[in-house]
């Protein structure tokens, strides 16, 4: 580990303070203030004439800042710095995993309750009588890697303009990452679709949106007593059943002016968004047409730009804050619930209800667009038996191999087994129509205490390969984008419930039938390289670098969905899903081949100002409603096989 990495890690892990942090990414003013600190760090890092080691100078300044400013704010600013500044990225200074830098914020609830009817191969575990249905999903909501994904995404995609790393004082060069607003909606929609699939697997039903701000919220949430911030010993308040949202007045930081968030403001912001969607344009003087980007940003954190003053209320963020401080009406103490901290917000069932409501506001806009027409499909076919799934442990030639040799051998095996004169034949004994998951156990160690540990459970898939039989009917080579989705069969007619599991580029020779092999762990949504081993699950997947020779983009490897949650859990007797492969023209998509770094779909471009690596709308072809509300009516003429 380099000296820089050790210093950076120490700032995040060992800084102690007796002053309770009030920083949250769900308050715009806090993020703006943190970005000013990041701006200062950029300036120091760029001054190579004054500092012989400007990166170390940044860390020295951060250590001093922690003594006088909100520690969480300084740490957030510093993590933003190492994520976006080219010199820090070039040196591969990496953000340690949440379980390493703040282990007490990573531990799930100690008592793990499993619902009746677990996955194939597992024995039922009877729930205790005092457990509500929501607690059956603790293993998923409180998964340390899921929560780390959510936190890291909000570091990469901060919702306020960032200064340019190389020109921090030039306000005209401030930027928000390409398609930030659209990706905010899509990434959280995908999280919710996965959560709903988990709910269906244990019989809880679809998540109910939290759209009535005056209702008594029946779901409760009590965090583990061990859930404590390592730096300032912050704990999180429980949220009892039967509470409802109420106005909250917050004191200012450091004796500064306070602020208030009210239900009335939240309702006005919601109603303005609904009005905007209904009329088809923003309520500004120019009547600016709606774009997915502007609407997504307006919903997340408001629009802080000339002409859009009406849209200044950060609707999504206000919801987080009101839910986080729902106890204020009873105790008059500002002890935040987990909804106020991006590192742990996903643990609360209210997170998923709130985001279901947030997504429905955006969905209303998409429904007004009408169905896609798909008049630019490439000249390719998938045979009636063209989608083949094979478990890796059933492919004998790849046993013990690693990439790239594993992929090479799997491709050869797939062509020999399913291609050539076998192209239209039955799949045979090697294939499966049932994908499997199981619950595993691992030990979580309290590294900063006495090295004691406890057992936690987590979901893991049985790994597989896709083999796609594809025919190019044209007389020229063609480059394609394969888009792979799954959905619980009962929800297939709702376009927002389709779960992206992969997206990749592949060239097919002219007038050729071929078999395309694809490893499940190369998924476009998964953090790359995937975390599979116990060591990888408990720490960053790539060891921090030691010098300047490494790729500066590799900081983005830490962004992406956890591999072990790639598939929904399913049910003991099997849960019916549809698997859908949509093939589009790469020349119209420009989707790059996924490197073994980061998540293409959730984390976008690797460099801060690059374009998002897909021209199509996010979630395409499931970015618009189906004709007559029917999946098959829209796709039937494009489908050669429905899984």
């Amino acid at each position: 580990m380099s000296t820089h990495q050790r210093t950076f890690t120490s700032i995040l892990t060992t800084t102690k303070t007796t002053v309770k942090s009030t920083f949250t990414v769900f308050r715009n003013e806090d993020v703006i203030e943190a970005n000013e600190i990041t701006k200062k760090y950029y300036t120091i890092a760029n001054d190579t004439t004054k500092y012989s080691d400007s990166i170390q100078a940044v860390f020295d300044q951060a250590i001093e800042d922690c003594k006088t400013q909100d520690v969480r704010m300084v740490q957030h600013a510093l993590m933003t710095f190492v994520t976006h500044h080219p010199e820090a990225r070039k040196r591969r200074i990496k953000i340690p995993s949440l379980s390493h830098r703040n282990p007490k914020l990573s531990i799930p609830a100690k008592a793990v309750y499993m619902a009746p009817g677990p996955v194939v191969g597992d024995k039922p575990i009877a729930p205790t009588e005092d457990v509500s249905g929501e607690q059956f999903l603790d293993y998923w909501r409180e998964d340390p890697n899921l929560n780390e994904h959510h936190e890291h995404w909000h570091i990469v995609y901060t919702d306020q303009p960032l200064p340019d790393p190389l020109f921090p004082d030039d306000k005209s060069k401030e930027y928000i990452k390409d398609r930030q607003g659209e990706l905010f909606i899509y990434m959280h929609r995908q999280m919710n679709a996965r959560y709903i699939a988990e709910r269906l697997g244990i019989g809880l039903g679809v998540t109910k949106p939290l759209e009535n701000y005056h209702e008594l919220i029946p779901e409760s949430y009590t965090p583990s007593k061990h859930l404590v911030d390592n730096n300032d010993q912050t704990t999180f308040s429980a949220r009892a059943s039967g509470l409802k949202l109420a106005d909250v007045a917050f004191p200012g930081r450091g004796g500064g002016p306070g602020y208030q968030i009210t239900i009335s403001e939240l309702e006005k912001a919601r109603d303005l968004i609904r009005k905007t969607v209904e009329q088809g344009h923003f309520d500004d003087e120019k009547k600016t047409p709606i774009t997915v980007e502007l609407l997504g940003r307006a919903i997340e954190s408001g629009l802080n730009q000339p002409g859009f003053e009406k849209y200044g209320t950060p609707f999504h963020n206000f919801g987080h804050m009101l839910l986080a401080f729902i106890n204020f009406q009873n105790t008059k103490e500002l002890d935040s619930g987990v909804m106020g901290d991006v590192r742990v917000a996903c643990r609360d069932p209210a997170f998923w209800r709130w985001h279901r409501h947030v997504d429905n506001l955006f969905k209303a806009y998409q429904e007004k667009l009408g169905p896609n027409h798909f008049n630019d499909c490439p000249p390719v076919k998938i045979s009636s038996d063209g989608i083949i799934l094979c478990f890796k442990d059933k492919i004998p030639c790849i046993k013990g191999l690693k990439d790239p040799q594993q992929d090479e051998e799997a491709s050869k095996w797939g062509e020999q087994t399913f291609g050539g004169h076998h192209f239209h034949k039955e799949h045979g004994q090697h294939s499966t129509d049932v994908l499997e998951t199981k619950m595993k156990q691992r030990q979580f160690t309290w590294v900063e205490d006495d090295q004691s540990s406890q057992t936690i459970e987590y979901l893991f898939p049985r790994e597989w390969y896709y083999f796609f039989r594809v025919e190019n009917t044209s007389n020229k080579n063609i480059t394609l984008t394969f888009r792979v989705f799954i959905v619980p069969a009962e929800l297939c007619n709702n376009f927002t419930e389709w779960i992206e599991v992969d997206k990749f580029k592949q060239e097919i020779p002219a007038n050729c039938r071929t078999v395309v092999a694809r490893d499940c762990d190369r998924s476009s949504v998964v953090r790359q390289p995937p975390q599979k081993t116990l060591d990888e699950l408990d720490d960053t997947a790539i060891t921090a670098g030691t010098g300047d020779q490494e790729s500066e983009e590799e900081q983005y490897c830490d962004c992406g969905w956890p591999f072990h949650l790639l598939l929904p859990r399913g049910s003991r007797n099997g849960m019916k899903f549809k698997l859908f492969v949509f093939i589009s023209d790469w020349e119209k998509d420009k989707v790059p081949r996924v490197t073994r770094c980061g998540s293409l779909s959730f984390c976008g471009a690797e460099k801060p100002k690059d374009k998002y690596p897909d021209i199509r709308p996010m979630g395409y072809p499931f970015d618009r409603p189906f004709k007559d509300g029917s999946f098959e009516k829209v796709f039937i003429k494009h489908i050669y096989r429905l899984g």
Side-chain angles (χ1 to χ4, degrees):
M1 181 183 292
S2 69
T3 301
H4 290 136
Q5 183 67 55
R6 278 195 297 270
T7 304
F8 175 59
T9 300
S10 176
I11 295 171
L12 299 182
T13 59
T14 65
T15 301
K16 305 294 183 183
T17 179
T18 58
V19 180
K20 183 177 178 180
S21 173
T22 60
F23 173 80
T24 174
V25 301
F26 301 121
R27 182 172 183 251
N28 290 1
E29 291 80 2
D30 284 9
V31 177
I32 291 170
E33 192 173 343
N35 286 350
E36 283 298 310
I37 300 174
T38 301
K39 176 181 174 180
K40 176 174 66 175
Y41 296 160
Y42 286 163
T43 301
I44 295 172
N46 295 338
D47 194 349
T48 55
T49 58
K50 182 177 181 180
Y51 304 104
S52 58
D53 186 342
S54 61
I55 299 300
Q56 185 60 47
V58 169
F59 295 156
D60 291 342
Q61 182 62 54
I63 292 171
E64 292 303 310
D65 289 342
C66 285
K67 298 175 182 177
T68 59
Q69 300 186 57
D70 187 300
V71 169
R72 277 279 297 120
M73 179 179 289
V74 174
Q75 291 174 335
H76 180 86
L78 194 60
M79 288 191 290
T80 302
F81 166 77
V82 301
T83 299
H84 294 278
H85 196 278
E87 187 63 25
R89 292 165 59 208
K90 183 178 179 181
R91 299 188 186 209
R92 296 187 72 206
I93 301 168
K94 303 183 69 61
I95 299 174
S97 67
L98 183 59
S99 61
H100 178 69
R101 59 188 144 92
N102 218 316
K104 288 185 177 180
L105 287 184
S106 300
I107 191 67
K110 191 166 186 178
V112 178
Y113 301 99
M114 296 308 301
V119 293
V120 175
D122 285 346
K123 295 180 180 180
I125 301 175
T128 57
E129 294 182 355
D130 61 344
V131 176
S132 70
E134 290 293 338
Q135 287 172 286
F136 291 144
L137 288 168
D138 280 355
Y139 74 91
W140 200 88
R141 289 194 318 272
E142 302 206 11
D143 185 276
N145 302 86
L146 181 153
N147 281 271
E148 183 179 354
H149 156 71
H150 183 239
E151 178 207 25
H152 201 95
W153 187 90
H154 278 278
I155 294 172
V156 174
Y157 278 88
T158 180
D159 60 19
Q160 298 299 312
L162 279 168
D164 186 292
L166 299 181
F167 304 96
D169 293 323
D170 189 342
K171 197 167 183 62
S172 68
K173 292 184 180 294
E174 288 184 350
Y175 69 98
I176 288 179
K177 280 181 68 69
D178 186 49
R179 297 170 72 177
Q180 148 82 29
E182 183 182 4
L183 186 53
F184 162 76
I185 295 293
Y186 182 63
M187 194 282 291
H188 288 85
R189 171 178 289 179
Q190 283 290 297
M191 288 178 66
N192 231 319
R194 290 175 174 277
Y195 184 58
I196 288 170
E198 296 295 320
R199 292 176 62 87
L200 294 180
I202 63 172
L204 285 183
V206 173
T207 307
K208 180 183 177 182
L210 187 57
E211 56 191 2
N212 178 0
Y213 308 156
H214 302 280
E215 74 166 271
L216 300 179
I217 302 173
E219 301 89 356
S220 64
Y221 179 70
T222 302
S224 166
K225 65 180 181 180
H226 300 297
L227 196 69
V228 180
D229 187 291
N230 184 56
N231 299 125
D232 62 6
Q233 301 305 303
T234 293
T235 57
F236 299 90
S237 63
R239 183 177 51 76
S241 175
L243 296 179
K244 65 178 181 179
L245 300 179
D247 300 348
V248 180
F250 297 87
R253 180 180 292 109
Y259 64 99
Q260 187 176 31
I261 299 177
T262 67
I263 302 300
S264 175
E265 284 182 282
L266 195 67
E267 290 175 328
K268 287 179 181 178
R270 175 201 61 197
D271 294 344
L272 180 58
I273 292 167
R274 286 175 172 170
K275 176 185 177 183
T276 300
V277 168
E278 184 60 32
Q279 66 192 16
H281 61 79
F282 284 92
D283 214 20
D284 61 326
E285 288 186 3
K286 297 180 180 179
K287 296 184 177 180
T288 303
I290 294 176
T291 66
V292 293
E293 172 62 16
L294 278 179
L295 184 60
R297 285 167 52 195
I299 291 172
E300 180 185 14
S301 57
L303 295 175
N304 183 23
Q305 57 194 73
F308 289 86
E309 287 78 9
K310 288 184 180 180
Y311 296 87
T313 300
F315 172 77
H316 154 265
N317 291 351
F318 269 15
H320 266 271
M321 295 297 284
L322 289 175
L323 284 163
F325 292 95
I326 200 169
N327 284 320
F328 180 68
Q329 57 193 298
N330 295 327
T331 66
K332 301 302 179 184
E333 294 181 4
L334 284 175
D335 288 331
S336 172
V338 295
M339 280 290 283
D341 191 322
V342 71
R343 300 171 295 178
V344 290
C346 298
R347 294 167 178 256
D348 191 336
F351 173 93
W352 307 94
R353 289 197 61 194
W354 176 244
H355 273 276
R356 182 72 166 175
H357 172 48
V358 168
D359 189 71
N360 281 349
L361 295 178
F362 192 85
K363 180 183 178 183
Y365 163 69
Q366 292 175 302
E367 287 177 329
K368 291 179 70 68
L369 299 176
N372 283 310
H373 298 293
F374 308 116
N375 53 11
D376 59 353
C377 292
V380 295
K381 294 181 179 180
I382 297 181
S383 72
S384 59
D385 291 321
I387 300 174
I388 305 167
L389 306 173
C390 298
F391 292 121
K392 287 184 180 180
D393 53 25
K394 295 294 185 180
I395 304 175
C397 64
I398 66 172
K399 186 176 181 180
L401 298 181
K402 296 182 179 180
D403 291 336
Q405 189 179 4
Q406 176 184 285
D407 272 354
E408 293 170 358
E409 293 301 318
S411 294
K412 293 176 184 177
W413 181 85
E415 191 65 50
Q416 293 168 0
T417 307
F418 306 117
H421 65 277
H422 299 290
F423 196 79
H424 290 295
K425 292 184 178 180
E426 292 292 326
H427 302 165
Q429 62 180 347
H430 301 289
S431 67
T432 181
D433 290 327
V434 179
L435 293 177
E436 298 178 9
T437 63
K438 65 179 179 180
M439 298 302 296
K440 289 187 173 184
Q441 292 184 338
R442 60 187 172 112
Q443 295 298 308
F444 185 93
T445 302
W446 301 84
V447 294
E448 90 287 7
D449 289 339
D450 58 0
Q451 297 293 313
S452 61
S453 63
Q454 75 177 57
T455 301
I456 62 175
E457 294 197 77
Y458 65 103
L459 189 65
F460 205 90
R462 184 178 177 185
E463 296 186 50
W464 75 96
Y465 261 89
Y466 305 95
F467 295 97
F468 301 135
R469 289 168 167 165
V470 183
E471 180 179 359
N472 179 359
T473 60
S474 70
N475 59 4
K476 62 178 182 179
N477 295 352
I478 188 167
T479 306
L480 306 172
T481 304
F482 286 73
R483 302 169 186 269
V484 186
F485 292 81
I486 60 173
V487 70
E490 63 189 274
L491 300 180
C492 70
N493 290 324
N494 188 337
F495 70 97
T496 64
E497 307 301 349
W498 284 82
I499 298 168
E500 180 180 339
V501 288
D502 208 355
K503 176 170 61 179
F504 62 95
K505 169 187 173 184
Q506 183 71 41
E507 184 172 316
I508 307 296
N511 299 308
C512 177
R513 291 175 176 173
T514 189
V515 176
V516 176
R518 179 71 171 179
D519 190 340
C520 69
D521 74 8
R522 288 186 173 273
S523 167
S524 60
V525 302
V526 165
R527 168 180 170 170
Q528 296 289 343
Q531 297 168 292
K532 298 181 182 180
T533 68
L534 297 182
D535 287 342
E536 289 168 348
L537 287 169
D538 285 335
D539 209 339
T540 47
I542 298 178
T543 303
T546 58
D548 299 343
Q549 304 303 314
E550 308 295 344
S551 167
E552 67 178 56
E553 283 75 46
E554 290 192 359
Q555 177 65 50
Y556 281 74
C557 292
D558 295 337
C559 184
W561 189 251
F563 173 76
H564 65 281
L565 298 179
L566 179 60
L567 286 182
R569 177 172 175 262
S571 63
R572 183 184 184 189
N573 296 319
M575 180 175 168
K576 189 175 181 181
F577 278 76
K578 288 185 179 291
L579 187 151
F580 180 67
V581 181
F582 188 89
I583 301 176
S584 55
D585 187 341
W586 184 85
E587 293 299 329
K588 296 182 174 70
D589 305 336
K590 299 298 183 184
V591 179
R593 187 181 302 276
V594 178
T595 64
R596 297 299 267 183
C597 181
S599 163
L600 179 149
S601 295
F602 286 172
C603 304
E606 292 176 341
K607 294 183 179 180
K609 291 190 177 182
D610 281 357
K611 296 293 184 182
Y612 185 84
D614 189 350
I615 293 173
R616 305 278 189 177
M618 295 181 193
Y620 180 82
F622 300 112
D623 60 301
R624 292 194 179 193
F626 304 134
K627 181 180 179 181
D628 299 329
S630 169
F631 162 70
E632 293 197 11
K633 280 189 177 181
V634 173
F635 289 107
I636 192 66
K637 66 180 180 180
H638 302 285
I639 294 174
Y640 292 89
R641 172 184 165 89
L642 272 177

